[in-house]
Amino acid sequence: MLFALVSASFYGLNIVYARMAAFAGASGSAIVVYRVLLMLILVGIAAVAMRKSLAMAREERGIMLLLGVATALVGVCYLSSVAFIPVTVAAVVFYTFPIFIVLASPFVEGTKLTPTLLGVAAAATIGVVMVVGPAFGGLDWRGLVLALAASIATATQFFAAARCRKTGVVAKVFWIHVLVLPTAALIGLAAGQLSPPSTLLAAPLAVGMTIGGYVFGFMLQFLALGRITAVAAGIIYCTEPVVAAVSSALLLGETLSPLQMAGGALVLSAIVANVLLEQRRLRGAPLVPIAD
């Protein structure tokens, strides 16, 4: 849960610095491509330095393929949705994924769907809506469908990652990005934004923080998803837009309204409740070995 919370915080900061980089002229598509490429290089170096194998567990090859495709679809759909609807609206639609995780968990993980768990998930989602505070006027249905598809892909990613326990984290991250890189490059080419690496120097600090936030957030995400259920992780990741809202207020001078503050408090309350529920569920449960 701590890994998930820190990962979500890195992702929240990542969004703010990505906005700062965009203001300076560094395109989002180019940042995505180069951060994925950098991740592959770093994972390769880490594998050599730590003598970690990049081999997948044979029985997990199918789930790894699903994980890679789901991760690619999250980026493709979310990035494409903001071409049709405002970012704030896309974020609210995207962050319905904890509800999808909770509703699907009885069928995927055999989790008992209790009224308490439904209430926690609903409270977290309402809190996200309050924090982001969108205006739903004059929306293009294509953007809503794409953001919803990204939400469903994220729920799929969480379930797949939680089931992928035998393949080490280093190998897992490597093969996921092997699938994501060509997809991100194609998006950049289609949008005409796949600029050379020199363009990233327009905002070195913001670009560095964006890429760093993604790298650390992604690694911690997969350390977390091998240790907790998709339901627990999904609710914890509702902290991401809260961190983004607070960071944007501190770094970009954007103010938080009382409604947004109340929403952040609601999200944090839901996370605390979820932690208590998860601890009660796991009390006395046998430990599961995880490949790190």
Side-chain angles (χ1 to χ4, degrees):
M1 287 186 171
L2 180 60
F3 285 150
L5 191 61
V6 177
S7 170
S9 299
F10 272 123
Y11 283 151
L13 285 169
N14 175 58
I15 295 170
V16 176
Y17 281 104
R19 185 169 175 81
M20 292 170 66
F23 287 157
S27 88
S29 297
I31 291 174
V32 169
V33 170
Y34 295 123
R35 77 182 183 185
V36 171
L37 184 59
L38 176 62
M39 178 71 91
L40 283 172
I41 294 171
L42 291 176
V43 171
I45 293 172
V48 173
M50 301 166 62
R51 297 182 179 179
K52 294 285 188 180
S53 171
L54 293 179
M56 302 181 210
R58 184 179 296 273
E59 61 270 33
E60 291 185 347
R61 289 179 180 175
I63 202 74
M64 278 294 296
L65 178 61
L66 175 62
L67 185 55
V69 171
T71 302
L73 284 175
V74 172
V76 171
C77 295
Y78 200 18
L79 184 64
S80 301
S81 69
V82 295
F84 303 103
I85 57 177
V87 173
T88 51
V89 177
V92 168
V93 176
F94 176 67
Y95 274 94
T96 56
F97 74 81
I99 289 293
F100 286 118
I101 290 173
V102 169
L103 295 178
S105 63
F107 308 100
V108 180
E109 294 184 331
T111 304
K112 187 178 179 181
L113 197 60
T114 64
T116 304
L117 188 57
L118 282 172
V120 168
T125 304
I126 292 170
V128 169
V129 174
M130 292 168 66
V131 169
V132 179
F136 286 95
L139 299 179
D140 192 317
W141 66 269
R142 292 172 294 180
L144 293 174
V145 169
L146 285 167
L148 189 62
S151 178
I152 294 171
T154 301
T156 303
Q157 180 197 52
F158 274 56
F159 281 124
R163 285 172 170 260
C164 195
R165 296 175 181 266
K166 294 184 179 179
T167 302
V169 171
V170 174
K172 201 181 297 182
V173 172
F174 177 81
W175 288 108
I176 287 171
H177 284 82
V178 165
L179 289 169
V180 172
L181 181 60
T183 305
L186 286 173
I187 293 172
L189 286 171
Q193 295 182 336
L194 193 57
S195 50
S198 58
T199 58
L200 302 183
L201 296 177
L205 176 61
V207 169
M209 291 296 289
T210 301
I211 293 175
Y214 171 78
V215 169
F216 286 110
F218 197 89
M219 293 293 291
L220 288 169
Q221 177 185 351
F222 281 84
L223 285 170
L225 291 176
R227 290 169 165 79
I228 56 177
T229 64
V231 172
I235 295 176
I236 289 174
Y237 271 85
C238 286
T239 54
E240 180 182 334
V242 177
V243 171
V246 173
S247 300
S248 64
L250 295 175
L251 298 173
L252 300 175
E254 298 178 0
T255 57
L256 289 173
S257 68
L259 180 65
Q260 288 177 305
M261 293 179 185
L266 185 58
V267 171
L268 294 176
S269 299
I271 291 164
V272 170
N274 182 66
V275 169
L276 295 175
L277 288 172
E278 187 74 358
Q279 286 180 336
R280 183 184 302 173
R281 187 186 71 81
L282 294 176
R283 189 174 295 149
L287 295 176
V288 178
I290 299 164
D292 271 341

